[in-house]
Amino acid sequence: MAKIKSGQNLTKKDTIVSTAALLFREKGYAASSMRDLAEKVGVEAASLYNHIKSKSEILQDICFTVANRFITQLEKVEGSKDSVIDKIETILRFHIHEMIHHYEEVYVSDREWKHLEEPYLTNFQSLRKSYRKRLAAIIDEGVRNKELKDIDAPTAVLIMLHAVSGIESWHRSIQKIDADELEKNMVVIMVEGLKK
Amino acid sequence: MAKIKSGQNLTKKDTIVSTAALLFREKGYAASSMRDLAEKVGVEAASLYNHIKSKSEILQDICFTVANRFITQLEKVEGSKDSVIDKIETILRFHIHEMIHHYEEVYVSDREWKHLEEPYLTNFQSLRKSYRKRLAAIIDEGVRNKELKDIDAPTAVLIMLHAVSGIESWHRSIQKIDADELEKNMVVIMVEGLKK
DNA sequence: CCTACCGATCGGTAGG
DNA sequence: CCTACCGATCGGTAGG
């Protein structure tokens, strides 16, 4: 009997994966045991294997779901007619939004992907590399058409991506402060830093 | 017979700790076994315990050595008469320098400290928090005296620290490119982004 | 979904 | 510094 997976209908596998994201973020992938996970889900460890193939499959699921969301968004931006500055601002806002609204998964995807097994490890690394190259290409375009300062594009990409991923440590305070406030400040500092 | 630890005289413990830093950076603390470490050092696993008390002690050693270097440098900057912009540039350059010249230890200290045991975990977290607060205080001073844009200091600190720690992923390319070139680009983007 | 259990590997110790 | 070994815990399977 195949399950139909629609909007709000979470399968048991979905529950396991998102609970795992929480656990992996807290303790790291390697330090999280399937017994830890089972307890959080509310079943015995052996029962998890009726829904998933292995611990490693959970990590694959998290990493590639996140990666695909970022790639899809990048494609949309690449296809737009916006100025480079606007493109960068859109991407920056998307990263911040993802970090705030899909915190556990994004964090795990960003910090725990090294624990992927082959061939997924190689696949994932090449997605990351490609994402960065395409982002650098956008920045390079801005340097050539004089929208941006004459900066090294890979360095700018490095700064952008890691600045945003740092939101991690502020996540708790973010709910108190204001997500919009954070986003505004971040955009000001980063975009102004690049602008000519 | 007590060992005298002088300039170039590395004890066996030093060798173990710096080999561990390399291993922990590659595989993460939790996924690194004492047998892995022993093999890299060139002894049997049991022999490690003649030089160290536990796996956890190695991590403590790495984290607090790094933390103390950063705190010492911050104190020096706080006590100087430089402008806020110059203070920030000095700190930024110090972070970049540390990341390039003590890569393994700094990386491990930054990403694996969650695996510290109590009371070290709490101690380390409070050092981190204090470092960030003091850095934010410098930025705030710059906002008040109009050297900097009217930005949120904690957000600026977040961006600065994480942008630099991102050098990790570029470490291999850095040797090819040029460390000075990277530093220059980084300083331009970050400092210009903050400047009024 | 559970009980029962597997072989492998973990951090660490004893004793020399 | 090594050999030999410990109890604990790991990811995962069998069988119902």
Side-chain angles (χ1 to χ4, degrees), chain B residues 8 14 16 19-20 58 66 76 83 98 128 142 160 188:
Chain B
Q8 354 176 341
D14 293 330
I16 291 171
T19 306
I58 300 175
V66 170
K76 211 181 295 177
S83 68
E98 285 292 301
R128 267 174 87 92
M160 267 186 65
V188 167

Side-chain angles (χ1 to χ4, degrees), chain B residues 79-147:
Chain B
S80 87
K81 303 270 185 200
D82 288 347
S83 68
V84 168
I85 284 281
D86 286 349
K87 282 180 178 173
I88 290 171
E89 184 168 333
T90 301
I91 292 167
L92 206 51
R93 287 187 190 277
F94 180 75
H95 275 257
I96 294 168
H97 181 275
E98 285 292 301
M99 201 67 193
I100 292 172
H101 294 96
H102 303 278
Y103 176 51
E104 319 288 351
E105 283 86 354
V106 173
Y107 182 93
V108 169
S109 164
D110 196 51
R111 312 262 298 218
E112 302 293 324
W113 60 267
K114 282 185 183 175
H115 299 283
L116 285 168
E117 294 172 359
E118 295 295 357
Y120 303 99
L121 178 59
T122 300
N123 292 161
F124 189 83
Q125 283 176 300
S126 95
L127 291 182
R128 267 174 87 92
K129 198 185 256 185
S130 147
Y131 187 86
R132 290 172 177 201
K133 276 204 174 158
R134 288 159 70 178
L135 198 45
I138 294 177
I139 291 178
D140 249 339
E141 188 197 329
V143 171
R144 282 198 312 275
N145 76 13
K146 314 284 186 191
E147 275 188 74

Side-chain angles (χ1 to χ4, degrees), chain A residues 68-196:
Chain A
N68 286 328
R69 265 206 313 270
F70 278 88
I71 291 166
T72 301
Q73 165 69 12
L74 182 59
E75 271 159 9
K76 212 181 295 180
V77 170
E78 284 171 336
S80 87
K81 301 272 184 201
D82 288 346
S83 68
V84 168
I85 284 281
D86 287 348
K87 281 179 180 173
I88 291 171
E89 184 168 333
T90 301
I91 291 166
L92 206 50
R93 287 186 189 277
F94 180 75
H95 275 256
I96 295 169
H97 181 276
E98 285 292 300
M99 202 65 192
I100 291 172
H101 294 96
H102 303 278
Y103 176 51
E104 319 289 350
E105 284 84 355
V106 173
Y107 182 93
V108 169
S109 164
D110 196 51
R111 314 263 295 219
E112 301 294 323
W113 60 265
K114 282 183 183 175
H115 299 284
L116 286 168
E117 293 173 359
E118 295 293 358
Y120 301 99
L121 178 60
T122 301
N123 292 160
F124 189 82
Q125 282 176 303
S126 96
L127 290 182
R128 267 174 87 91
K129 197 184 258 184
S130 148
Y131 186 86
R132 289 169 178 206
K133 278 208 173 153
R134 288 159 69 177
L135 198 45
I138 293 178
I139 291 177
D140 250 339
E141 188 197 327
V143 172
R144 284 198 312 276
N145 77 12
K146 314 284 185 189
E147 274 187 74
L148 303 182
K149 294 186 186 118
D150 187 18
I151 42 153
D152 181 57
T155 304
V157 170
L158 172 164
I159 292 177
M160 264 186 67
L161 297 186
H162 284 87
V164 173
S165 79
I167 296 181
E168 131 229 340
S169 16
W170 303 69
H171 195 252
R172 267 167 315 220
S173 1
I174 278 168
Q175 280 140 2
K176 278 180 289 178
I177 306 175
D178 194 271
D180 292 339
E181 191 66 21
L182 174 83
E183 194 168 324
K184 204 180 67 194
N185 274 291
M186 203 133 203
V187 169
V188 167
I189 298 173
M190 293 301 304
V191 174
E192 291 301 315
L194 298 175
K195 212 181 283 182
K196 194 146 193 168

Side-chain angles (χ1 to χ4, degrees), chain B residues 12-13 16 34-35 37-39 41-53:
Chain B
K12 190 83 190 195
K13 178 169 176 176
I16 291 171
M34 295 305 277
R35 284 156 180 86
L37 176 55
E39 195 185 351
V41 172
V43 296
E44 290 300 317
S47 305
L48 295 171
Y49 291 89
N50 292 307
H51 304 283
I52 54 147
K53 282 199 277 293

